[in-house]
């Protein structure tokens, strides 16, 4: 748990090298990509929810859920960067927060393949948004690496939190997951109400 939190802190912390103009030129794409998922509550909530959802599973599914999200997000990022429009992207992002929150609350009724598929499906919307908003001056590869790094850090934060909740005890931990999932779902509903 301590290593997970330390990794998240290091990944999200600004570095002194970014303050130097020459260094900034080289990491411009990476820093922009790193900042994009952290700049909106919708992205942060969805990505932490993916980590929480993954923590409710054991074995390969615990890793396949966030990896599915990151892989599909990269595909969506390429689509968005090429200018291909995906209908209802913002609605899809809001629905992702709502649905992933419900997944966290009711993971005991969700199969691992279904959780993996949900994470991948909703990641496409997030990826399209990331790709479409990439600065023209940024390196596409570095920008992509940046938003994947931020996404991974948010997944790890959610996963670490989820594993900590799981240690509370089977009954109480399940109740905490349901409350947390309901909170994420309510936030998603609020985001959806603001989009439509």
């Amino acid at each position: 748990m301590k290593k997970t939190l330390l990794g998240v802190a290091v990944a999200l912390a600004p570095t002194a090298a970014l303050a130097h103009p020459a260094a900034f030129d080289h990491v411009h794409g990476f820093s922009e990509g790193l900042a994009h998922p952290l700049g909106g509550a919708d992205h942060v909530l969805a990505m932490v929810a993916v980590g929480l959802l993954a923590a409710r599973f054991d074995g390969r599914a615990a890793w396949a859920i966030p990896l599915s999200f990151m892989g599909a997000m990269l595909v969506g990022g390429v689509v968005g960067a090429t200018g291909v429009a995906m209908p209802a992207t913002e609605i899809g992002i809001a629905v992702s927060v709502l649905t992933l929150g419900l997944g966290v609350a009711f993971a005991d009724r969700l199969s691992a393949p279904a959780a993996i598929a949900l994470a991948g499906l909703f990641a496409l919307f997030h990826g399209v948004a990331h790709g479409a908003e990439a600065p023209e001056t940024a390196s596409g590869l570095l920008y992509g690496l940046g938003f994947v790094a931020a996404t991974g850090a948010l997944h790890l934060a959610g996963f670490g939190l989820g594993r900590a909740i799981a240690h509370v005890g089977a009954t109480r931990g399940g109740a905490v997951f349901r409350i947390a999932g309901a909170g994420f779902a309510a936030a998603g509903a609020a985001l959806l109400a603001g989009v439509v």
Side-chain angles (χ1 to χ4, degrees):
M1 177 70 171
K2 290 180 184 177
K3 289 181 182 178
T4 300
L5 294 175
L6 178 62
V8 170
V10 168
L12 299 178
T15 63
L18 295 179
H20 190 275
F24 188 75
D25 290 342
H26 295 292
V27 296
H28 174 64
F30 182 80
S31 64
E32 291 288 327
L34 191 65
H36 189 262
L38 304 174
D42 50 359
H43 295 304
V44 171
L45 288 168
M47 292 168 191
V48 171
V50 167
L52 280 168
L53 180 61
R56 299 220 53 198
F57 289 86
D58 292 318
R60 292 181 183 159
W63 296 106
I65 293 167
L67 289 175
S68 170
F69 190 97
M70 289 192 285
M73 185 185 62
L74 278 172
V75 170
V78 170
V79 169
T82 59
V84 176
M86 185 173 185
T89 300
E90 292 302 319
I91 290 172
I93 290 170
V95 170
S96 77
V97 177
L98 189 153
T99 305
L100 290 166
L102 291 174
V104 169
F106 301 106
D108 51 344
R109 299 179 191 171
L110 189 64
S111 71
I116 292 165
L118 279 175
L121 170 68
F122 288 123
L124 289 171
F125 292 100
H126 290 270
V128 167
H130 294 327
E133 296 175 15
E136 290 182 18
T137 58
S139 159
L141 177 61
L142 290 175
Y143 181 79
L145 288 173
F147 73 70
V148 167
T151 298
L154 291 168
H155 288 340
L156 280 173
F159 188 82
L161 178 62
R163 290 298 176 163
I165 291 170
H167 287 302
V168 169
T171 306
R172 289 188 350 213
V176 174
F177 275 119
R178 292 201 195 291
I179 292 166
F184 278 86
L191 288 167
L192 187 58
V195 172
V196 286

